[in-house]
Amino acid sequence: MSFVAAVCQMRSSSDGAGNLRQAAELIREAAARGATFIATPENTNYLGPHDEKVRLAEALDGSTCSFFSGLAGELSLFLLLGSFSEKSSHKGRCFNSSVLFGPSGARVAVYRKMHLFDVDVPGGVSFRESDTVLAGGEVVVAETTLATIGMSICYDVRFGELYRSLASRGAEILTVPSAFTATTGRAHWETLLRARAIETQTFVIAPGQWGKHDDGGLRESWGHSLIVDPWGRVLAEAEGGIGLAMAEIDLDELRKVRAAIPMAQHRRLPG
């Protein structure tokens, strides 16, 4: 079985309505070009001052998810809202949540980012995502008519044990919507994504944010949204700018790779 997947590379800002227009234009273009699985980046609907994202956080049945649910149903495709700020019961913090919608517009799965980006890179970026975000605690794999999809968000990509868990639960595609910083992206983005694909023998679909955002000068995103196959080959890339990258996802290729190098049979755990 094969289908066409697309990653939307965005430059989100504090203009929520503008972000949704930008996303819709890219999603409609990808659908017109034959994509039946489309993914947007982390922080799709808002990437401005971080204290504000908590105030603007919404429930799963709020306007942002309703917007993407409507697009998925209208276009009859699988649509991943890479992430949005989901309300929590904890004052001052929200969840960073990725939501998958099916061709009927129904919500298929929700993943809340587990690993939060609390870093201090010398000469690079200093940031504490945990100041405004609560960590999720559930590994999420979604069974769909296209493929079995393992969900993650951005900084998660550095933690290989999460992806091994997703693969052991049947994932054939890993989604990694991101807003990777330019500093860390330049050094690590492609290497990490290709490594995750190779070690789990899955496709990796990784839509990213690109450029500078109006968040007080804290962030410049790397872009370079990628689709990677189970052999670690880059099938499609959106380098810089707002745009799309698209590729055919052929699950027979996944089965060939797993048959040639049967890692699942060979794995031995230490101790």
Side-chain angles (χ1 to χ4, degrees), residues 195-219:
R196 297 295 85 87
I198 293 165
E199 71 190 7
T200 60
Q201 299 179 310
T202 61
F203 288 91
V204 171
I205 294 177
Q209 293 280 357
W210 166 84
K212 293 185 177 180
H213 312 282
D214 61 337
D215 61 350
L218 292 174
R219 295 290 299 275

Side-chain angles (χ1 to χ4, degrees), residues 12 39 50-51 131 158 207 242:
S12 295
H50 293 275
D51 288 345
D131 285 347
R158 293 182 181 273
I242 297 167

Side-chain angles (χ1 to χ4, degrees), residues 8 10 12 39-47 53 80-85 96-98 113 115-117 127 129 133 152-156 176-181 189 206-210 213 219 221:
C8 300
M10 296 180 60
S12 295
T40 68
E42 183 181 24
N43 301 320
T44 287
N45 69 319
Y46 178 84
L47 193 43
K53 74 182 178 185
L80 181 79
L81 166 56
S83 87
F84 83 112
S85 297
N96 187 349
S97 301
S98 186
K113 188 176 184 181
H115 300 96
L116 303 183
F117 190 58
F127 191 74
E129 187 176 17
V133 175
S152 69
I153 300 172
C154 199
Y155 188 53
D156 284 333
V176 194
S178 299
F180 236 72
T181 70
W189 170 248
Q209 293 280 357
W210 166 84
H213 312 282
R219 295 290 299 275
S221 295

Side-chain angles (χ1 to χ4, degrees), residues 21 25 52 147 204 223:
R21 285 194 299 271
E25 288 174 6
E52 279 292 285
V204 171

Side-chain angles (χ1 to χ4, degrees), residues 4-6 26-36 38 243-247:
V4 175
L26 292 169
I27 291 163
R28 291 185 189 282
E29 180 184 347
R33 291 168 57 184
T36 54
I38 302 172
L244 296 169
M246 300 177 61

Side-chain angles (χ1 to χ4, degrees), residues 140-187:
V140 176
V141 173
E143 298 276 354
T144 79
T145 54
L146 292 179
T148 304
I149 298 165
M151 298 171 69
S152 69
I153 300 172
C154 199
Y155 188 53
D156 284 333
V157 77
R158 293 182 181 273
F159 300 89
E161 60 272 20
L162 170 60
Y163 296 89
R164 181 173 294 177
S165 179
L166 291 168
S168 71
R169 298 175 191 214
E172 298 165 310
I173 292 172
L174 303 173
T175 56
V176 194
S178 299
F180 236 72
T181 70
T183 300
T184 56
R186 187 176 292 107

